[in-house]
């Protein structure tokens, strides 16, 4: 018989997903589930033709097709939106069950589970309405595997999550730096990556297997990214040439103005440097004898924030990436974990206000929306500073701490 505590969480999970779906159409011209409809269109266009991400260039790695197929099947082949929400409700409810050991876990696991539901609710429909949500659920299962000591299983989950949307590479970094089984983890990850590539080649793959990398590299600076805030304020204050335009190829709103192209070209190297610094601090912390669970949590959170803060793309669903490392921070009781938990909830709420609630206002360079976005982006930077300080403290010798 299922535990009552889990049943309460499961019922709440179903209600949250139902609410997010039911309210997704209340934002006028801003439709948080538009991407899911686009996924369905891609699937329709692919019939009888080349496979996206395999023999035709695609913005995502080809394993991202799997949840799209599943959602289509759950929707009876005609309603991918309903199928998608059902799929996400199942995945996230199963994840809650895993986190809380189906209602038998310790109190900190219930704090983490309720945080997860609150985070989804505050972030709004976009929390489950993008392919990122699938990668988050997969990474969540990897976190549970890690917490149960199943290290190889964890790296497989993180690797497969990264093949849906790249961000779980941050949790893989945390796992690698916190584990004593580095050679085995590299071997396991290599086998998983090779398996995905080999299958792609068997399906007729060519250079399109890696097209998601080049496609992302060609992007400009999206309006919600932290770095874009500079040009949004420039446009608001009437700077000549600064403004917002719609990219017809990538289907996203980007900023224009002096220096945009040059800064856009520098953002990926800057992100790489930030990740390298995180890796260095994590390596030093491991050598200093830091607790492996806490090291995993902080490295994962710092690396995810690196991927967001130094990203020239700032899609609202990116905030959803924070959930898994914050859950790790809660479960492993990192000192000051409440800061990360409350910060994550605040960032989710602010992101909801920006998208979809005041997104049209942002497109019109409204004071309220630009102010909200500025506060949200500053919040991301502050949380990154906090995470780096935590990681730096772990890198100090134990006798000093």
């Amino acid at each position: 018989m299922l535990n009552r505590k889990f049943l309460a969480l499961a019922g709440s999970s179903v209600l949250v997903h139902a609410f997010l779906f039911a309210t997704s159409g209340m934002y006028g011209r801003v439709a948080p589930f538009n991407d899911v409809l686009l996924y369905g269109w891609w699937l329709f266009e692919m019939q009888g033709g080349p496979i996206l991400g395999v023999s035709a260039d695609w913005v995502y790695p080809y394993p991202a097709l799997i949840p799209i197929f599943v959602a289509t099947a759950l929707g009876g082949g005609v309603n991918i939106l309903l199928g998608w929400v059902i799929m996400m409700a199942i995945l996230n409810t199963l994840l809650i069950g895993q986190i809380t050991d189906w209602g038998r876990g310790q109190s900190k696991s219930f704090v983490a589970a309720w945080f997860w539901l609150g985070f989804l609710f505050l972030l709004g429909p976009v929390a489950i309405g993008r392919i990122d949500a699938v990668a988050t659920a997969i990474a969540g299962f990897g976190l549970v595997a890690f917490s149960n000591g199943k290290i190889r299983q964890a790296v497989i989950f993180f690797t497969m999550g990264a093949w849906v949307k790249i961000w779980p590479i941050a949790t893989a970094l945390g796992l690698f730096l916190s584990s004593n089984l580095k050679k085995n983890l590299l071997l396991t990850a290599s086998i998983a990556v090779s398996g995905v590539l080999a299958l792609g080649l068997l399906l007729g793959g060519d250079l399109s297997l890696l097209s998601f990398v080049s496609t992302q590299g060609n992007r400009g600076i999206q309006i919600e990214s932290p770095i874009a805030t500079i040009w949004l304020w420039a446009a608001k204050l009437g700077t000549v040439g600064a403004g917002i335009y719609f990219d017809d190829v990538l289907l996203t709103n980007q900023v224009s103005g002096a220096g945009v192209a040059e800064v856009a070209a520098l953002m990926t190297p800057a992100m790489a440097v930030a990740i390298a610094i995180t890796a260095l601090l994590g390596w030093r912390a491991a050598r200093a004898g830091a607790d492996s669970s806490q090291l995993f949590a902080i490295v994962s959170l710092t690396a995810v924030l690196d991927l967001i803060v130094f990203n020239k793309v700032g899609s609202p669903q990116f905030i959803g990436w924070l959930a898994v490392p914050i859950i790790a921070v809660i479960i492993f009781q990192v000192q000051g974990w409440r800061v990360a938990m409350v910060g994550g909830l605040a960032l989710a709420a602010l992101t909801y206000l920006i998208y979809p609630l005041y997104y049209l206002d942002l497109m019109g360079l409204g004071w309220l929306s630009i102010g909200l976005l500025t506060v949200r982006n500053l919040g991301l930077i502050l949380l990154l500073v906090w995470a780096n300080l935590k990681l730096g403290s772990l890198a100090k010798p134990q006798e000093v701490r």
Side-chain angles (χ1 to χ4, degrees):
M1 184 175 180
L2 290 174
N3 185 288
R4 289 184 179 179
K5 291 182 179 179
F6 170 68
L7 289 176
L9 282 164
S12 299
S13 176
V14 171
L15 289 175
V16 166
H17 286 79
F19 175 80
L20 294 178
F21 180 51
T23 59
S24 63
M26 65 178 283
Y27 306 105
R29 288 183 291 163
V30 181
F33 278 94
N34 259 356
D35 277 30
V36 178
L37 294 175
L38 180 60
Y39 302 157
W41 173 250
W42 280 334
L43 211 60
F44 175 78
E45 286 284 285
M46 197 174 65
Q47 293 179 10
I51 301 174
L52 292 173
V54 174
S55 50
D57 288 356
W58 198 32
V59 70
Y60 300 126
Y62 82 88
L65 288 169
I66 297 173
I68 298 174
F69 277 114
V70 171
T72 302
L74 289 173
V78 294
N79 193 337
I80 190 173
L81 285 181
L82 178 61
W84 188 270
V85 174
I86 292 172
M87 177 183 70
M88 290 313 309
I90 292 171
L91 282 174
N92 289 335
T93 304
L94 288 174
L95 178 57
I96 287 170
Q98 290 276 296
I99 290 172
T100 62
D101 191 21
W102 307 100
R104 299 184 295 269
Q106 298 178 17
S107 59
K108 59 187 179 183
S109 68
F110 289 95
V111 173
W114 285 113
F115 160 77
W116 176 226
L117 288 179
F119 185 88
L120 289 174
F121 178 79
L122 290 173
L123 186 52
V126 77
I128 61 171
R130 306 288 164 89
I131 197 71
D132 305 61
V134 177
T136 296
I138 296 172
F141 290 120
L143 165 59
V144 174
F146 172 79
S147 67
N148 291 330
K150 300 176 181 178
I151 306 302
R152 293 181 182 85
Q153 188 180 109
V155 77
I156 291 173
F157 274 119
F158 294 147
T159 303
M160 298 313 297
W163 271 108
V164 173
K165 193 66 183 282
I166 192 62
W167 81 260
I169 197 71
T171 50
L173 177 64
L175 178 64
F176 178 77
L177 291 172
S178 64
S179 175
N180 293 322
L181 304 173
K182 291 180 173 57
K183 291 183 179 179
N184 289 334
L185 290 179
L186 281 176
L187 178 61
T188 303
S190 299
I191 292 172
V193 170
S194 299
V196 173
L197 289 174
L199 178 59
L201 291 173
L202 288 173
L203 292 171
D206 50 31
L207 290 177
S208 294
L209 285 169
L210 299 176
S211 60
F212 64 95
V213 177
S214 60
T215 302
Q216 295 295 334
N218 293 330
R219 283 178 177 265
I221 296 179
Q222 191 173 335
I223 63 172
E224 293 138 288
S225 63
I227 194 65
T229 310
I230 298 170
W231 285 277
L232 286 177
W233 277 110
K236 180 63 181 177
L237 297 176
T239 303
V240 177
I244 297 172
Y245 72 97
F246 184 73
D247 188 304
D248 294 318
V249 176
L250 295 171
L251 305 178
T252 187
N253 293 297
Q254 301 182 160
V255 294
S256 61
V260 167
E262 292 78 7
V263 172
L266 291 173
M267 292 308 293
T268 300
M271 186 191 300
V273 170
I275 292 290
I277 292 172
T278 297
L280 176 61
L281 289 173
W283 175 76
R284 289 180 56 194
R287 291 199 57 170
D291 177 80
S292 60
S293 296
Q294 299 215 353
L295 180 57
F296 165 80
I298 290 298
V299 169
S300 298
L301 178 59
T302 308
V304 166
L305 284 162
D306 289 336
L307 293 176
I308 297 174
V309 171
F310 294 97
N311 207 322
K312 59 185 175 182
V313 182
S315 301
Q317 68 269 20
F318 286 13
I319 300 302
W321 302 356
L322 292 170
V324 170
I326 291 177
I327 289 172
V329 167
I330 296 170
I331 289 176
F332 300 130
Q333 295 290 281
V334 173
Q335 186 179 16
W337 59 268
R338 290 179 180 84
V339 173
M341 183 180 72
V342 174
L345 293 173
L347 289 169
L350 284 167
T351 301
Y352 167 75
L353 291 175
I354 297 158
Y355 184 95
L357 203 58
Y358 291 110
Y359 193 69
L360 292 180
D361 183 70
L362 180 61
M363 294 301 299
L365 298 174
W367 284 107
L368 176 60
S369 54
I370 293 181
L372 287 170
L373 182 58
T374 302
V375 172
R376 197 283 305 270
N377 288 341
L378 287 174
L380 284 167
I381 294 169
L382 287 174
L383 188 57
L384 177 58
V385 171
W386 179 86
N388 271 289
L389 290 174
K390 285 294 177 186
L391 186 52
S393 69
L394 288 178
K396 297 176 182 178
Q398 282 194 332
E399 62 268 23
V400 176
R401 282 185 276 123

